[in-house]
Amino acid sequence: MDTAKNLSLILTRMEKARANSPAAAKRVELIAVSKAQGEAAIVELLEAGHRTFGENKVQEAKTKWPALRERFPDVSLHLIGSLQSNKAAEALELFDVIETVDRPSLVDALAKTRNEGRGARCKTFYVQVNIGEEPQKGGVTPAELGDLLEYCRTPRSSPLAPLPIAGLMCVPPADKNPAPYFALLRKLATGHGIQQLSMGMSGDFETAIRLGATSVRVGTALFGERLY
Ligand SMILES: *Cc1c(COP(=O)(O)O)cnc(C)c1O
């Protein structure tokens, strides 16, 4: 696997999809999803100048990223997997962006920790939307989104310390055409005055970009198959 070469190919494909679409964002960020990937490939991307990465587990990120951050301090790390409330403080220390806010109890845990002056690294939060309303997936349903956003403005744990929500994130059903789901996420964001849209993975990032993604999360197309 030539990861640095994959990086430049994917950036080229992203820019082509963006430039040819009137609904595309002015700028689209690539989140390199490094979960279950070897360190050598991650370092190859860092040395090629890439700085934005995604991990789905707090524990795994904790074993990999503090050491890499000593060498590459300007890394931006996104949490893209579900977060247990008892790991909220750790996640706030480790990640720059948490994309998976999905329930009031987690909002409370995050807001409380922030209000205590801890977890200062993370300043950006997205709500995960279960856009296909699949029982096995995390995220709020489209119908529940308004209530959760309202809760983020005045969490019970710290009513004076809102959790600012900058974006929405989704993973559409695996076996369906993703386009209508991406379009729905965008419509929800517009309706709620939210700017950032994290949508699109290895198999569908160009479709997501055409429909307005501001970031795409790409793992296997960059790194190859994951090492489980
Ligand atoms: C693993 C993962 C990705 C990357 O998936 P690929 O198909 O390997 O690009 C993107 N988003 C989330 C939430 C993931 O868990």
Side-chain angles (χ1 to χ4, degrees):
M1 258 294 155
D2 188 338
T3 314
K5 186 167 161 213
N6 291 346
L7 173 67
S8 79
L9 292 172
I10 284 170
L11 290 172
T12 303
R13 283 171 61 190
M14 285 173 60
E15 181 49 26
K16 197 167 163 199
R18 202 197 62 76
N20 292 335
S21 319
K26 296 244 168 344
R27 196 178 150 265
V28 183
E29 182 166 49
L30 172 62
I31 301 169
V33 177
S34 49
K35 65 184 184 197
Q37 299 291 352
E39 175 157 327
I42 298 173
V43 170
E44 192 176 325
L45 287 195
L46 287 161
E47 283 173 346
H50 193 73
R51 288 294 180 270
T52 308
F53 290 82
E55 292 281 346
N56 69 334
K57 293 198 177 96
V58 173
Q59 207 50 44
E60 183 182 339
K62 213 172 137 184
T63 64
K64 286 154 82 172
W65 284 98
L68 290 169
R69 269 217 175 98
E70 296 202 351
R71 294 171 61 193
F72 303 95
D74 53 341
V75 155
S76 173
L77 201 56
H78 290 231
L79 177 64
I80 60 170
S82 64
L83 177 57
Q84 294 171 285
S85 299
N86 63 7
K87 294 206 174 127
E90 261 182 305
L92 287 166
E93 295 292 347
L94 204 50
F95 292 94
D96 300 274
V97 181
I98 293 176
E99 298 200 8
T100 50
V101 176
D102 65 354
R103 58 196 189 279
S105 58
L106 178 59
V107 174
D108 279 328
L110 293 167
K112 182 165 179 284
T113 308
R114 279 160 53 86
N115 207 21
E116 292 164 0
R118 295 186 294 140
R121 177 184 290 279
C122 188
K123 295 189 177 60
T124 306
F125 302 90
Y126 294 4
V127 167
Q128 181 179 359
V129 181
N130 186 351
I131 201 74
E133 306 195 36
E134 298 170 279
Q136 79 280 15
K137 275 203 183 128
V140 289
T141 64
E144 294 163 341
L145 176 62
D147 281 351
L148 189 66
L149 291 172
E150 180 59 38
Y151 193 81
C152 291
R153 283 179 213 118
T154 49
R156 200 174 40 145
S157 64
S158 13
L160 302 178
L163 194 72
I165 300 297
L168 301 181
M169 181 273 234
C170 78
V171 181
D175 51 353
K176 301 230 174 88
N177 172 12
Y181 297 100
F182 293 150
L184 176 58
L185 194 73
R186 181 195 179 126
K187 190 171 160 220
L188 290 168
T190 306
H192 290 287
I194 288 175
Q195 311 297 329
Q196 305 295 317
L197 280 176
S198 173
M199 56 188 199
M201 321 200 323
S202 289
D204 54 20
F205 66 87
E206 286 149 313
T207 305
I209 289 170
R210 286 186 205 105
L211 291 166
T214 57
S215 59
V216 293
R217 309 177 307 269
V218 177
T220 45
L222 261 176
F223 292 103
E225 290 307 314
R226 287 180 271 275
L227 326 158
Y228 284 116

